[in-house]
């Protein structure tokens, strides 16, 4: 049986970039695959490749994930599971997966877990102070992993300290390297370069070029020792990193060439603009007297280039980053502070001028490198893979009401879009209804049409069989046409109200409706399952309308705008402005007992911390994300959902933990006594709590937020102060609010769409 240890062995799927893609992790995965084939013939390897350029892959690549297509991740997990693999190993690096900080790989992992396929994670980056987004992504990815492998003891310590996974699941498996003298074909241009350097004392660096490599430090250091060591040459071998070339062309290489000329080192620094094969790397290292890694970031926790050099017995001069400190601790080289050419020059001089010390460093490198050869590494990895495969289970049946983490799911009624279909026509979505009957006289508005676009974008990812005749593509077409007609770029504003007969009832102006318009455009433009033609229309209008955020004045309209702008791949000046405004509002108003953005709680309150958290995640600002979570935790206490992680049991001064009890439409004010009845509770407020908690769950991975998202959604189904459902299961509509003693029986657009926004948020996070 697939997945068990037997005579026929197991199949291991490696999820990674893969050649011909030029990437260090692609090279690592190829080398691991080859080594497993040689050292563990019972482990058959297939590849699930991350692709960005439509490359042609070898036959070992059985599945391809388009990096920037979110829908591919779950589909690929299903394909891998269906192929009968025994286990999967995910090679993790933030930059090779789609989504903010590579978050979409968690969709793949969650689907594997649901289908009963065990998986491992290999961490190529472990940060000492990850942003909330980075930490949340890794926590969710590693939460259900059978094991998490890291390359060094320091990486293991950092992984434990940052809470990525339990310490008993984090395993140290070294980065592999070929043994010294590995043969193979060397291209003529490489051979010619090495021949030209014969007789010179050679320093070298190889690998993909990017600003983080800090090569200007080594070039400057060479200039400082040139007179003392006139026979030394520095070889920089490697092409520009494809992602850097995609964004900046050869700007970094050109800067290095200028730096060489500026130092008068043209005859002492040689550039070899090629992506080297293992055989060519071996040939370069065989001629290298000192290997150089002058990297700029202390956080670097792995380096294939440094591994190869040490395994080849090369002494090293390196800047002090985590991996180098571990690798060189036994005396294989010298480490110096980053971006310090004087210190780097002195370290080079120390080794070059002392033959005995250079030989001791060479011997220490050989000793350290003996345990790094791929055969030994592959055997260790194969043992972990076999143990993981033995844990394979049958898929979790659909009827089992648990999520990927084994938490109970919400008992959600089947999708019923009857009422939504009824109140939507070619003109838009009708604002109000008399019970379930549309009130055409109420017309349409940008606020509701924007909500419809968000819901329609989410429904594009729902199987057709669940839609039962409803067509979210039609709703997208209608919504975008409405919004295109409403927005006026010259006024930096939008009309809002339109009669059922088609005439506009107001002039372009600014307000919440503009914020919601921007939000919907971002949701459609970034919708993973939205057809390209609608994504392109939304993106085009967003380019025109995005500057409208600058003219908005309230924190709420800013928050709505930001929720759309953070969805698109490239950060904008407007999104940065939106984050800054929300942070400034929090800083200006928050106190110890009222950590909030305003002096009152009004409507759609949870959108404020949700937007700040989303913006802080995009910006990588841990302090701002902390403010957003502090505000959200406090607000959850105010509405009956208890304390946040780290909060007090009394709910930070709010209601006791239980069902959602929203601030009513009479609002709540700082320092004022709370009346017995605060007014009607609104569905848009409940949806905001659900989506804010889902955002916090995605960023932090804390189960607390997943639980609160479900509890908040329960408000629609009757888990509220009156025990009355706000969702009408017979029509699929949403009732217009929870009054003092009953529920409003009218089913308007805002309330109905609030239910579906909340539901689709839970579905997108695999929480129902």
């Amino acid at each position: 049986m697939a997945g068990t240890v037997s005579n026929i062995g197991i199949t291991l799927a490696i999820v990674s970039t893969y050649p011909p893609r030029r990437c260090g992790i692609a090279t690592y995965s190829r080398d691991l695959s080859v080594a497993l084939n040689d050292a563990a013939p019972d482990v058959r390897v297939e590849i699930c490749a991350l692709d960005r350029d439509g490359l042609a892959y070898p036959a070992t690549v059985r599945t391809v994930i388009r990096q920037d297509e979110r829908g591919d991740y779950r589909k690929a997990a299903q394909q891998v599971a269906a192929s009968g693999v025994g286990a999967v190993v995910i090679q993790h690096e933030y930059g090779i997966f789609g989504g903010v900080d590579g978050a979409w790989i968690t969709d793949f992992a969650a689907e594997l877990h649901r289908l009963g396929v065990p998986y491992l994670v290999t961490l190529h980056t472990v940060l000492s102070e990850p942003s909330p987004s980075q930490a949340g992504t890794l926590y969710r990815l590693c939460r259900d992993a059978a094991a998490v492998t890291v390359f060094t003891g320091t990486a293991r310590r950092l992984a434990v300290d940052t809470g990525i996974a339990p310490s008993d699941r984090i395993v140290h498996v070294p980065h592999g390297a070929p043994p010294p003298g590995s043969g193979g074909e060397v291209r003529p241009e490489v051979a010619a370069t090495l021949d030209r350097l014969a007789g010179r004392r050679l320093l070298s660096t190889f690998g993909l070029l990017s600003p983080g490599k800090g090569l200007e430090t080594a070039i400057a250091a060479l200039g400082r020792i040139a007179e003392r060591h006139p026979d030394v040459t520095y070889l920089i071998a490697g092409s520009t990193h494809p992602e850097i070339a995609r964004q900046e062309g050869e700007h970094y290489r050109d800067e290095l060439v200028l730096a060489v000329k500026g130092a008068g080192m043209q005859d002492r620094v040689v550039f070899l603009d090629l992506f080297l094969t293992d055989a060519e790397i071996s040939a370069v290292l065989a001629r290298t007297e000192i290997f150089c890694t002058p990297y700029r970031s202390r956080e670097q926790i792995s380096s294939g280039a440094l591994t190869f050099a040490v395994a080849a017995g090369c002494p090293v001069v390196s800047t002090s980053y985590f991996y180098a400190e571990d690798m060189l601790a036994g005396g294989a080289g010298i480490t110096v502070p980053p971006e310090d050419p004087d210190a780097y020059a002195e370290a080079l001089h120390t080794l070059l001028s002392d033959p005995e010390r250079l030989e001791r460093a060479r011997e220490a490198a050989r000793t350290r490198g003996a345990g790094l050869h791929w055969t030994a590494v592959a055997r260790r990895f194969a043992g972990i893979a076999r143990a993981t495969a033995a844990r394979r289970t049958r898929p979790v049946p659909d009827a089992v009401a648990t999520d990927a983490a084994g938490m109970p799911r919400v008992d959600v009624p089947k999708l019923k879009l009857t009422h939504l279909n009824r109140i939507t026509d070619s003109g838009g979505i009708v604002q109000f209804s008399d019970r379930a009957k549309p009130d055409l006289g109420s017309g349409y508005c940008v606020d509701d049409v924007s909500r419809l676009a968000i819901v329609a974008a989410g429904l594009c990812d729902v199987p057709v069989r669940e839609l039962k005749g409803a067509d979210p593509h039609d709703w997208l077409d209608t919504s975008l046409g409405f919004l295109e007609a409403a927005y006026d770029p010259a006024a930096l504003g939008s009309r809002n109200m339109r009669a059922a007969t088609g005439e506009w009832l107001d002039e372009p102006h600014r307000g919440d409706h503009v914020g919601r318009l921007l939000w919907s455009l971002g949701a459609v433009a970034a919708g993973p399952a939205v057809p390209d033609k609608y994504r392109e229309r939304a993106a085009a209008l967003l380019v025109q309308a995005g500057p409208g955020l600058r003219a908005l004045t309230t924190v709420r309209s800013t928050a709505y705008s930001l929720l759309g702008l953070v969805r698109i791949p490239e950060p904008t000046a407007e999104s940065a402005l939106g984050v800054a405004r929300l942070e400034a509002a929090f800083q200006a108003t928050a106190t110890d007992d009222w950590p909030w953005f305003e002096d009152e709680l009004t409507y759609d309150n949870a959108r404020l911390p949700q937007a700040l958290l989303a913006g802080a995640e995009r910006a990588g600002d841990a302090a701002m994300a902390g403010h957003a979570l502090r505000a959200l935790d406090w607000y959850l206490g105010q509405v009956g959902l208890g304390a946040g992680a780290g909060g007090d049991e009394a709910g930070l001064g709010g209601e006791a933990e239980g069902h959602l009890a929203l601030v009513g439409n009479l609002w709540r004010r700082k320092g004022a006594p709370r009346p017995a009845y605060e007014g009607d509770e609104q569905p848009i407020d409940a949806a905001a709590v659900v989506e804010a908690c889902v955002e916090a769950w995605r960023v932090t991975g804390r189960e607390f937020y997943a639980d609160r998202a479900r509890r908040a959604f329960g408000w629609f189904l009757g888990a509220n102060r009156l025990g009355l459902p706000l969702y009408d299961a017979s029509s699929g509509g949403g009732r217009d609010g929870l009054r003092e003693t009953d529920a409003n029986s009218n089913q308007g657009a805002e309330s109905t769409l609030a239910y579906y926004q909340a539901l689709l948020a839970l579905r997108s996070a695999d929480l129902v």
Side-chain angles (χ1 to χ4, degrees):
M1 178 181 295
T4 62
V5 179
S6 68
N7 292 334
I8 62 172
I10 64 167
T11 297
L12 176 70
I14 298 177
V15 182
S16 173
T17 51
Y18 202 75
R21 184 165 176 175
R22 294 183 173 183
C23 164
I25 295 177
T27 301
Y28 172 88
S29 294
R30 180 204 61 200
D31 291 348
L32 174 61
S33 176
V34 171
L36 285 169
N37 185 61
D38 292 339
D42 64 308
V43 179
R44 177 182 174 274
V45 175
E46 63 180 52
I47 306 297
C48 175
L50 277 298
D51 180 77
R52 229 179 187 179
D53 300 299
L55 300 174
Y57 291 97
T60 189
V61 174
R62 301 289 300 275
T63 311
V64 173
I65 297 173
R66 292 171 294 175
Q67 180 175 326
D68 300 314
E69 294 292 333
R70 185 171 187 176
D72 278 13
Y73 288 80
R74 285 190 184 277
K75 292 175 185 175
Q78 293 161 7
Q79 292 170 6
V80 168
S83 72
V85 301
V88 175
V89 56
I90 298 170
Q91 304 294 338
H92 179 267
E93 172 61 69
Y94 292 106
I96 69 172
F97 303 111
V100 176
D101 289 321
W104 293 349
I105 188 58
T106 61
D107 293 352
F108 180 95
E111 188 68 3
L112 281 184
H113 183 68
R114 186 184 74 82
L115 294 170
V117 180
Y119 67 91
L120 310 164
V121 177
T122 295
L123 299 179
H124 291 256
T125 292
V126 184
L127 301 173
S128 60
E129 295 183 358
S131 71
S133 168
Q134 291 165 332
T137 293
L138 272 196
Y139 175 82
R140 295 193 303 277
L141 179 62
C142 297
R143 177 181 56 207
D144 298 313
V148 177
T149 71
V150 293
F151 295 130
T152 66
T154 296
R156 188 180 187 281
R157 175 181 58 78
L158 291 175
V160 171
D161 289 349
T162 53
I164 289 169
S167 60
D168 61 352
R169 268 190 273 159
I170 305 175
V171 184
H172 172 202
V173 180
H175 193 301
S182 298
E185 185 177 350
V186 175
R187 284 170 287 183
E189 51 265 60
V190 177
T193 299
L194 292 176
D195 288 345
R196 181 157 54 90
L197 298 175
R200 308 285 298 174
R201 301 184 76 179
L202 189 64
L203 314 179
S204 75
T205 293
F206 73 85
L208 294 169
L209 270 60
S210 67
K213 295 296 176 70
L215 299 177
E216 53 269 49
T217 297
I219 291 169
L222 179 63
R224 287 163 169 74
I225 65 168
E227 291 186 7
R228 289 181 287 178
H229 300 281
D231 56 347
V232 171
T233 297
Y234 183 28
L235 173 63
I236 298 174
S239 56
T240 301
H241 195 292
E243 292 304 314
I244 299 298
R246 188 194 306 271
Q247 298 170 23
E248 303 176 7
E250 294 294 336
H251 179 68
Y252 180 60
R253 182 184 295 275
D254 293 342
E255 284 188 338
L256 293 177
V257 171
L258 288 174
V260 169
K261 290 181 179 178
M265 294 284 105
Q266 297 96 313
D267 60 337
R268 307 287 294 276
V269 179
V270 176
F271 289 93
L272 183 57
D273 187 3
L274 291 172
F275 185 76
L276 300 185
T277 66
D278 284 357
E280 291 164 347
I281 291 169
S282 182
V284 169
L285 293 175
R287 293 285 310 280
T288 295
E289 193 156 347
I290 298 175
F291 189 74
C292 300
T293 58
Y295 300 163
R296 297 174 64 186
S297 172
R298 175 166 171 73
E299 293 285 332
Q300 184 142 346
I301 206 67
S302 69
S303 168
L306 180 57
T307 307
F308 279 35
V310 172
C314 289
V316 178
V317 171
S318 176
T319 48
S320 297
Y321 55 91
F322 289 135
Y323 191 67
E325 290 171 357
D326 276 356
M327 292 291 287
L328 306 180
I334 299 173
T335 60
V336 300
E339 300 185 273
D340 187 339
D342 290 331
Y344 208 94
E346 188 58 32
L348 288 172
H349 172 67
T350 297
L351 291 179
L352 289 168
S353 61
D354 187 342
E356 291 185 2
R357 180 162 182 177
L358 187 66
E359 183 55 35
R360 288 198 303 272
R362 185 175 290 114
E363 185 57 36
R366 292 192 189 106
T367 301
R368 182 74 172 86
L372 303 177
H373 300 156
W374 269 120
T375 299
V377 171
R379 286 175 181 155
R380 177 163 170 72
F381 199 92
I384 297 170
R386 294 186 193 104
T388 298
R391 299 176 55 172
R392 175 153 190 173
T393 62
R394 290 189 297 273
V396 179
D398 290 340
V400 175
T402 59
D403 69 1
M407 293 181 64
R409 294 176 181 267
V410 178
D411 186 13
V412 176
K414 289 183 178 180
L415 200 64
K416 187 166 189 175
L417 301 172
T418 305
H419 186 62
L420 196 54
N421 224 358
R422 180 186 299 126
I423 62 177
T424 305
D425 58 28
S426 60
I429 183 166
V430 178
Q431 284 195 81
F432 305 134
S433 292
D434 180 1
R435 296 182 182 271
K437 182 181 178 181
D439 177 7
L440 290 175
S442 64
Y444 318 108
C445 67
V446 163
D447 290 300
D448 289 340
V449 170
S450 297
R451 296 183 182 104
L452 175 64
I454 294 169
V455 168
L459 288 172
C460 287
D461 202 27
V462 170
V464 173
R465 67 178 181 278
E466 291 189 60
L467 298 177
K468 299 186 184 308
D471 190 346
H473 296 172
D474 277 354
W475 295 343
L476 283 173
D477 190 48
T478 296
S479 299
L480 290 173
F482 191 101
L483 300 177
E484 287 163 346
Y487 192 76
D488 184 346
L492 292 179
S494 169
R495 297 176 175 87
N496 190 19
M497 307 300 296
R498 195 178 198 177
T501 53
E503 66 269 21
W504 290 101
L505 304 177
D506 55 0
E507 293 301 317
H509 61 288
R510 300 154 190 170
D512 284 358
H513 66 297
V514 175
R516 291 193 178 100
L517 180 148
L518 293 174
W519 179 6
S520 69
L521 295 177
V524 176
V530 172
D532 287 346
K533 63 180 180 180
Y534 300 122
R535 294 173 66 175
E536 290 165 4
R537 281 177 66 185
L541 183 54
L542 190 58
V543 169
Q544 294 183 53
L549 179 143
R550 297 180 177 276
L552 299 177
T553 57
T554 70
V555 290
R556 204 160 265 89
S557 56
T558 297
Y560 295 148
S561 304
L562 187 57
L563 287 171
L565 292 170
V566 296
R567 299 282 293 272
I568 59 178
E570 297 299 326
T572 65
E574 286 76 25
S575 63
L577 174 62
V579 176
R581 278 186 186 169
L582 291 178
E583 173 68 4
F586 182 85
Q587 294 278 12
T589 307
T591 61
D592 289 344
D593 59 353
W594 187 273
W596 196 244
F597 305 82
E598 301 170 298
D599 286 333
E600 56 190 1
L601 294 174
T602 58
Y603 61 96
D604 236 1
N605 295 297
R607 298 299 181 194
L608 304 184
Q610 179 191 353
L612 180 58
L613 182 58
E617 179 193 31
R618 164 61 68 88
D621 192 313
M624 285 197 296
H627 295 159
L629 292 171
R630 179 185 170 204
L632 177 60
D633 287 351
W634 175 81
Y635 178 68
L636 292 175
Q638 293 291 311
V639 295
L641 292 185
D648 59 74
E649 290 301 321
L652 299 172
E655 302 287 347
E657 181 181 301
H659 61 68
L660 179 64
L662 294 163
V663 175
N665 61 4
L666 299 180
W667 302 354
R668 187 177 301 171
R669 291 165 179 83
K670 183 178 182 179
R674 190 182 306 176
Y677 176 62
E678 290 184 303
D680 296 355
E681 296 179 37
Q682 303 297 313
I684 59 167
D685 278 295
V689 177
V690 173
E691 292 187 73
C693 289
V694 168
E695 188 74 34
W697 156 250
R698 284 187 172 127
V699 169
T700 68
R702 297 175 191 164
E703 299 293 350
F704 169 83
Y705 294 116
D707 174 75
R708 271 25 179 202
R710 294 185 179 100
R711 287 174 183 259
F713 185 76
W715 182 91
F716 290 98
L717 306 178
N720 51 54
R721 61 180 171 79
L722 294 182
L724 297 176
L726 277 295
Y727 171 70
D728 183 346
S730 64
S731 71
R735 297 185 174 96
D736 279 350
L738 196 67
R739 299 188 293 208
E740 186 168 12
T741 59
D742 65 357
N744 189 327
S745 60
N746 295 327
Q747 298 176 21
E750 177 184 289
S751 302
T752 298
L753 290 166
Y755 171 82
Y756 288 107
Q757 272 192 245
L759 172 61
L760 291 169
L762 289 176
R763 287 181 63 137
S764 72
D766 198 35
L767 295 179
V768 294

